[in-house]
Amino acid sequence: MPKVSIILPTFNVEKYIKKALDSCINQSLKDIEIIVVDDLGSDNSIKIAKEEALKDKRIKIIHNEKNLGTFASRNVGVLNSNSPYIMFLDPDDTLALNACELALKEIKEANLLRFGFAKIDEMGGGIEENLPNYKDYEELKNKMMYYKGISWNVCFCLIQKDFYLKNLQKIDLFLKLTMAEDLLAFAFLINPSIKTANFIGYFYNTNENSIMKRKTKEQSQKNLQNCKKILTQIQNSNLDQFIIKYFSFHLEKEILKYFYNLNKISYLKYKFLKKKINLYMFYLKIKRKISKGFLCNL
């Protein structure tokens, strides 16, 4: 049985996928499997993956029956994996060659290990390294309260497979999403056993052609619907109330932005509602401080 399954949801990334697969094939930990999930793109991504699979039997290709989006395609990969631990790689990014080995050594009794990543600017802007800025669950929640650089990208994690499936079975594993899929998954994976490690395991490319960079009205409409779907999933969950409020605030601000971009509300209403959300968030921060006794002497 392989020790780690690396899952690549693949859609129109022929420019990048060979490099992504090389970063998996050349891992210092050899006892892995590499699962490419074909989300039915129109380019040569899967042809390239098949050529690599002929050379390395650890590569397995799964073909979706229809286009599912990143979130559902990742979950198809998880359900078809054979390892106790999973790692996600977007195929326009790469892994550090010792990522699996270091992560497996560090995770120990934790269900989820969050490691560092480096952001690479494709336009020549250099590399920016980002290490986790919290050590445990309580510190993570404190950082979330103040919005201090929290990344919820599940690609920067090694996750226990059974833990992942147990927590995400509370939502629709095949929900079609083209954005914010990491936010949804991370909200359901935050737990007291979360652990961090101070090594760079992932190289994230700022791909100018990604969905997140598109600013058309059609894409804004899709993004709006995605945010609404995710908000419904989170607000109808039995997650910790703090987690629900945190992600609800973030999603409501995103929804508000798309309403304005699509001319559904005026600029004045947009500014008023955004200020209202920010004021309520500030109120909750102060209330939490008082409940902990930090402001008792003021």
Side-chain angles (χ1 to χ4, degrees), residues 10-18 21 36 38 41-51 61 91:
T10 302
F11 180 83
N12 289 352
V13 284
E14 66 178 351
K15 179 181 175 182
Y16 307 96
I17 192 167
K18 173 68 165 61
L21 286 172
V36 176
D38 173 16
S42 57
D43 69 357
N44 291 316
S45 300
I46 299 304
K47 180 182 177 182
I48 295 168
K50 285 180 177 178
E51 290 170 356
I61 300 175

Side-chain angles (χ1 to χ4, degrees), residues 48 82 86 115 153 224 256:
I48 295 168
N82 298 295
I86 55 172
F115 48 81
N153 193 319
L224 174 61
L256 193 58

Side-chain angles (χ1 to χ4, degrees), residues 238-252:
N238 60 352
L239 293 171
D240 180 296
Q241 284 300 306
F242 170 78
I243 301 298
I244 292 174
K245 286 177 181 176
Y246 171 82
F247 286 107
S248 292
F249 283 139
H250 180 83
L251 287 162
E252 285 167 358

